[in-house]
Amino acid sequence: MSRVTAITLGAGLMILAEPALAQPSLLNGESEYSLTIQVLAVMTALTLLPALVLMMSSFTRIIIVLSILRQALGTAQTPPNQVLIGLALFLTLFVMAPVMSRSWEAGLGPYLNGDFGIEEAYEKGMQPVREFMLGQTRESELELFVTLANNGEGELPATPADVSTAILAPAFITSELKTAFQIGFLVFIPFVIIDLVVASVLMSMGMMMLSPMLVSLPFKIMLFVLIDGWSLLIGTLAGSFFL
């Protein structure tokens, strides 16, 4: 986990600090000004890096499915947002750990040891991340963004290496949204059936004033517990990235 955090912070420092350090300085005042700009740029990037890193990982699919599950159960704010986000983050770290390890060994680690420059470190470090995103991205989404990038014309590149990250990232996010809603649909169906059965029973008994959601809630929770729902859902989510 510490290695993943180091990659996140180190990537921002590499990208932003290198140009400032490469500038020649003749006076102390100029050097001080350059350092101030560098710190400001790094602090600004740190506010954006978490969002960028999470959108290029498994976090999107996981948090959407967990949110749909809570909606299907009808438990309002239970589990609370902090619990869902924390669970999604730790599951994301579990899924992305092999990718981040390869990225560290290929790019950021050698760069910090001074083995090569920032451009080569970026290319080698991004390669495992790109392989992960390509493995989870549908061809239709890639074609869509290639077409948009080429003003309505274009074909898929011959090899995955030819797909630019600027095209791959939005295609990956769009594909993840589609996959998340597909999984969410399958999660939602059993709970909808319980709601329909309870509503039909209440209507046949003439209990029009009693909310079907209130009556079906304990049955949905009981069903989810009996089938060991959390383990089943989390295992399915994690396994979907390794298929």
Side-chain angles (χ1 to χ4, degrees), residues 59-72 84 176 179-185 187 230 233-234 237:
F59 180 81
T60 302
R61 182 189 305 184
I62 295 169
I63 192 62
I64 289 177
V65 172
L66 292 178
S67 299
I68 291 176
L69 170 65
R70 184 174 66 180
Q71 185 71 22
L84 287 186
E176 284 294 282
T179 303
F181 276 93
Q182 288 176 340
I183 298 175
F185 170 78
V187 170
W230 285 112
L233 180 64
I234 291 174
L237 273 174

Side-chain angles (χ1 to χ4, degrees), residues 20-193:
L21 292 175
Q23 293 176 354
S25 58
L26 301 177
L27 300 174
N28 290 335
E30 291 180 1
S31 177
E32 230 175 84
Y33 180 76
S34 176
L35 181 60
T36 303
I37 295 299
Q38 175 185 339
V39 172
L40 178 62
V42 170
M43 295 302 295
T44 303
L46 288 179
T47 62
L48 301 175
L49 277 174
L52 293 176
V53 171
L54 290 177
M55 294 303 286
M56 291 191 295
S57 67
S58 58
F59 180 81
T60 302
R61 182 189 305 184
I62 295 169
I63 192 62
I64 289 177
V65 172
L66 292 178
S67 299
I68 291 176
L69 170 65
R70 184 174 66 180
Q71 185 71 22
L73 284 171
T75 53
Q77 295 299 316
T78 305
N81 291 332
Q82 292 86 346
V83 174
L84 287 186
I85 293 174
L87 176 60
L89 284 173
F90 279 104
L91 192 54
T92 299
L93 291 177
F94 171 77
V95 172
M96 298 299 295
V99 179
M100 294 293 100
S101 295
R102 295 200 306 270
S103 181
W104 174 278
E105 294 170 359
L108 186 57
Y111 170 78
L112 295 177
N113 293 332
D115 295 339
F116 41 67
I118 188 171
E119 292 184 1
E120 187 177 356
Y122 172 78
E123 293 178 0
K124 292 185 176 182
M126 277 297 295
Q127 191 60 33
V129 180
R130 285 172 52 84
E131 290 175 359
F132 170 80
M133 290 194 292
L134 281 168
Q136 305 298 325
T137 304
R138 294 178 175 83
E139 188 173 328
S140 58
E141 272 74 24
L142 277 177
E143 290 179 352
L144 170 65
F145 284 95
V146 168
T147 302
L148 292 175
N150 295 318
N151 297 322
E153 298 180 358
E155 299 179 354
L156 279 177
T159 62
D162 297 330
V163 180
S164 67
T165 305
I167 293 175
L168 178 58
F172 168 74
I173 296 169
T174 306
S175 184
E176 284 294 282
L177 289 173
K178 183 176 181 179
T179 303
F181 276 93
Q182 288 176 340
I183 298 175
F185 170 78
L186 297 176
V187 170
F188 217 110
I189 290 299
F191 300 108
V192 172
I193 294 174

